[in-house]
Amino acid sequence: MAAVRTYVHPEPEEIELARVLFALSEPLRLAMVRKLAAEGEVDSIELGPDLPRSTLTHHTSLLRESGVVFVRAEGRKCMITLRGEDLAQRFPGLVETVLAGYLAETELARDPDGEDGIR
């Protein structure tokens, strides 16, 4: 029987604003958090299906270590959940505000025809 993978997560009171903001400052990680906020728990592969495994692991580890996500092993899968309640308790409104800004920025980058591009 294979050993069960375990992951270290900061306790809610150990989550630091600077680390959360750094984790959310990278567009790829921000897109991952947006997906988690919209869909709930997902397999890590769904967060970056076109990414090399090492890149995906790097970004999900950074999100986990900063306290933004919770990671658990489920067989061969790596299931990831946004720590929305913990983050809301520590920094009320932060995730919602960052995601709203991200969505607004994404909309500004779309042209009137709905095609990607800068206006």
Side-chain angles (χ1 to χ4, degrees):
M1 184 174 197
V4 176
R5 289 172 295 174
T6 57
Y7 299 94
V8 177
H9 301 86
E11 293 296 322
E13 62 276 3
E14 297 172 330
I15 298 173
E16 299 174 3
L17 181 60
R19 293 193 73 183
V20 170
L21 291 174
F22 176 77
L24 297 176
S25 70
E26 207 284 327
L28 178 61
R29 291 191 295 267
L30 194 52
M32 291 174 169
V33 169
R34 179 177 174 241
K35 183 172 181 72
L36 291 169
E39 298 180 19
E41 186 176 58
V42 301
D43 185 344
S44 64
I45 296 296
E46 295 176 40
L47 293 177
D50 299 329
L51 294 175
R53 191 72 172 156
S54 60
T55 301
L56 182 60
T57 299
H58 166 75
H59 288 293
T60 56
S61 293
L62 199 147
L63 288 168
R64 175 183 50 79
E65 292 165 0
S66 68
V68 174
V69 301
F70 182 82
V71 180
R72 68 179 181 84
E74 183 178 284
R76 295 186 66 170
K77 294 180 178 181
C78 181
M79 304 304 292
I80 302 182
T81 309
L82 180 64
R83 290 180 68 175
E85 289 183 26
D86 291 339
L87 291 167
Q89 179 184 358
R90 290 282 291 151
F91 314 110
L94 176 68
V95 173
E96 295 83 0
T97 301
V98 170
L99 290 178
Y102 173 72
L103 290 173
E105 184 177 286
T106 302
E107 289 301 314
L108 285 175
R110 297 178 84 67
D111 71 20
D113 298 327
E115 309 259 342
D116 287 335
I118 304 297
R119 284 196 235 179

